[in-house]
Amino acid sequence: QVQLLESGGGSVQAGGSLRLSCAASGYTSSTYYMGWFRQAPGKEREGVAGIDTDGSASYADSVRGRFTVSQDNAKNTLYLQMNSLKPDDTAMYYCAASTRENARRYWIWPSVYDYWGQGTQVTVSS
């Protein structure tokens, strides 16, 4: 059974940093396309970052240069390092895994992903 478990969320002041983790079980995360999404109250779920099996990463314009996605294949864990956080980054953050061959091209679409974690809350205060 595939499971994704996020951790590392919390409350931080603007300009601060957090590192989110997503522990995968039931499969080898290095063989799937992995993504990070976020959803703020009243807003649609949006793609934040994605990483392919070869390590190539993609980012939303709103986080590029501030967030870094990475994965530790030995630990079967996905990470999202978030720096220079802004109040607009406040949201529930989710990791997701895709088995689709076109995941790299459409990584920002939630419908591409087959498995989702439960989420971890990030709150950034001004």
Side-chain angles (χ1 to χ4, degrees), residues 3-72:
Q3 289 189 328
L4 300 173
L5 182 63
E6 302 95 335
S7 62
S11 297
V12 65
Q13 289 190 329
S17 299
L18 285 172
R19 188 177 80 155
L20 306 184
S21 300
C22 172
S25 61
Y27 74 104
T28 302
S29 64
S30 62
T31 63
Y32 287 14
Y33 192 97
M34 304 296 295
W36 283 103
F37 285 76
R38 67 186 181 187
Q39 188 167 17
K43 295 187 178 180
E44 293 186 355
R45 190 167 296 191
E46 64 172 348
V48 174
I51 186 166
D52 208 340
T53 55
D54 62 1
S56 61
S58 299
Y59 297 94
D61 290 343
S62 59
V63 306
R64 186 176 292 113
R66 300 188 298 123
F67 291 10
T68 302
V69 60
S70 62
Q71 55 187 9
D72 185 330

